Amino acid sequence: MGNKTIEIVEEGIGELIQKPDVEEFRKFVRDKKRRTLVEKVMDEKEAVSQFIKDGDYIGVELYGTVRAPLSIIREIVRQGKKNLRLAGQGLLEIDYLLAADLVTAMDVTYIGYEVLGLSPIFRRAAENGKVKIVEWSNAAMAWRFKAAAMGVPFIPIRSMLGSDTFKYSAAKVIMCPFTGIKLCLLPALILDVGIIHVHKADKYGNCVIEGISGFAFEMARASKRLIISTEEIVSTDEIRRYPEKTIIPYFLTDAIVYAPFGSHPGEMVYLYERDEEHLRMFLKMCETEEGTKKYMDEYIYSVKNHKEYLEKIGIEKLMKLKYEKMGR
Amino acid sequence: MKYSKTELMIFVAARLMEDYSTCFIGTGIPMLAASLAQKLHAPHLIPIFEFGGIGANLKKLPRAVGEGRTFYRALAATGICDIMESAQRGFIDYGFLGGAQIDPYGNLNTTVIGEHSRPKVRLPGSGGGNDVGSLCWRTIIIMKHEKKRFVEKVDFITTPGYLGGKGKREESGLPEGTGPYRVVTDLALLDFDEETKRMRVISLHPGVTLEEVKENTGFELLVKEPLEVTPEPTEEELRILREEVDKERYYI
């Protein structure tokens, strides 16, 4: 047992597209995360222009059709934030940004429409070699956020071993100094900007999510800047009465954007169903570049903001989705 | 009695689900099989979905692994770290997965066909697949039986099976005693030989010959003698599948 170094047995060949600089993160959190309760309500235009820069590494939670922060993503597209790097665990979020040609590199785990099939936009981007792609598993991405939330540069796990998912990642395999077993080390993933859509928030950014929490807890804590869109703005008194429900406390949040039906065409559990018709139409149109352009023009570029987007979808459709929701 | 190949595949997968077992359910047929198993023989089956749903009543069929239907009247709604950490701790008995390609050792590809840098076809990627196949005790794979899917070597190992043979999983550091358990296809039920860890036919579906299975497999298959014949679903079971499980006809 004289050996005092940990041996690196294997290394993935994928590029580390965001370095886990935990020292810099600590200083950022010390200097830039406000301790005081200040009001952070703003519209999506202001949130995106104030907190997202060209070249940023951004991430979204949950994904595509579930609690998706799409009103914010559509605004990023309208503002044309360029050279973005992404944590690719999404569908529509990723596809909108890819279709608008705003992405240079992605850490990917799964981009597909599950029961509705593959994503034509992602397929084209990957098959043309237009975007740099690094592979990870779903757990790996969530645990990378967890490591960042813990403030440590890496976390050991027991999946990804032996696979090409590992080979095309930026993970490393080591021998555990305590047990002698092989472990996969994941680099922490610190986001420049995290974007999350929640059920309720107060004006300071205390947030409540209903149903499963996905990876919101970890991602919120792994983000330097955090933009929250919310279905409802509630009083701080209500937050204080049920503090155990606050999954994202105010000091993590930088912007609160009021966005009812913000997940459309995705669902918001207990509030509205996903818009199956719209999703199928989107996927059909995206089979070709021309169709994709047409969709983007119609539903993103030609509407000024989320309010106009909702008017375009129409109150009748929105009420129908509200009516179709599953109860408790 | 008339039933489709997909329907039979769902029945075979559902029969593998035991009451009171914890099952990691992926997108597609596993969702139908779990819902059917809950209605037929495993009312206490605990479906687990990667983004946090534990013990849902699968009254309506989920279309995505994070949607509301994956935790409808569930016992708990947590998050992906908790679920994956439960699997890593050893709590999840079965994992159900599909794939675009599989090799004789049960390695699965859901990432690319062709080269990784310039793929012929880009598939969705791992999602939870790699974790499910790495961390659950037994992995059950559900796939259409076609020569282009059952290949000697997968283009990309998204999810590890037995890698290159017996002992290779453990050598790579994956937890001991885990790995692919059964492969359910539209032609047969298969397992993995104890000694070589290569895929082996154990049961043929009604009306299917061994020749047919071999013709649709791109590698040499082992055969367990005597071969069994897969039991057919009853009229009542079929009715439950069609009228109660997939009412909206997403899959069947």
Side-chain angles (χ1 to χ4, degrees), chain A residues 161-172:
Chain A
L161 294 155
S163 65
D164 289 328
T165 305
F166 168 80
K167 187 178 162 195
Y168 289 88
S169 77
K172 297 177 193 295

Side-chain angles (χ1 to χ4, degrees), chain B residues 12-28:
Chain B
V12 178
R15 286 186 199 121
L16 292 168
M17 296 182 175
E18 295 165 56
D19 208 13
Y20 291 104
S21 64
T22 44
C23 295
F24 205 122
I25 307 295
T27 292

Side-chain angles (χ1 to χ4, degrees), chain B residues 96-220:
Chain B
F96 289 83
L97 292 173
Q101 287 182 329
I102 188 167
D103 75 9
Y105 299 107
N107 300 306
L108 281 171
N109 176 15
T110 56
T111 304
V112 286
I113 304 291
E115 281 295 309
H116 184 259
S117 57
R118 278 310 272 278
K120 226 183 301 162
V121 183
R122 173 68 211 200
L123 302 164
S126 163
N130 179 286
D131 312 300
V132 171
S134 298
L135 304 173
C136 294
W137 287 107
R138 291 170 156 180
T139 311
I140 293 171
I141 298 153
I142 309 173
M143 275 175 70
K144 265 188 112 158
H145 211 132
E146 294 170 3
K147 206 166 193 155
K148 62 166 190 188
R149 292 170 178 271
F150 283 65
V151 294
E152 186 60 49
K153 197 172 176 311
V154 292
D155 288 12
F156 189 100
I157 301 180
T158 310
T159 301
Y162 292 106
L163 297 171
K166 192 171 184 169
K168 297 291 180 200
R169 263 181 88 85
E170 292 75 9
E171 261 173 50
S172 77
L174 290 166
E176 274 174 37
T178 58
Y181 171 65
R182 292 284 188 274
V183 181
V184 178
T185 79
D186 48 349
L187 299 180
L189 178 63
L190 307 99
D191 72 352
F192 294 85
D193 176 61
E194 245 336 287
E195 282 316 302
T196 60
K197 295 295 181 190
R198 283 185 67 102
M199 208 186 289
R200 178 173 74 165
V201 194
I202 57 175
S203 171
L204 297 172
H205 295 347
V208 176
T209 65
L210 183 58
E211 280 318 300
E212 208 178 323
V213 174
K214 286 184 170 170
E215 274 165 27
N216 286 287
T217 306
F219 52 82
E220 205 177 318

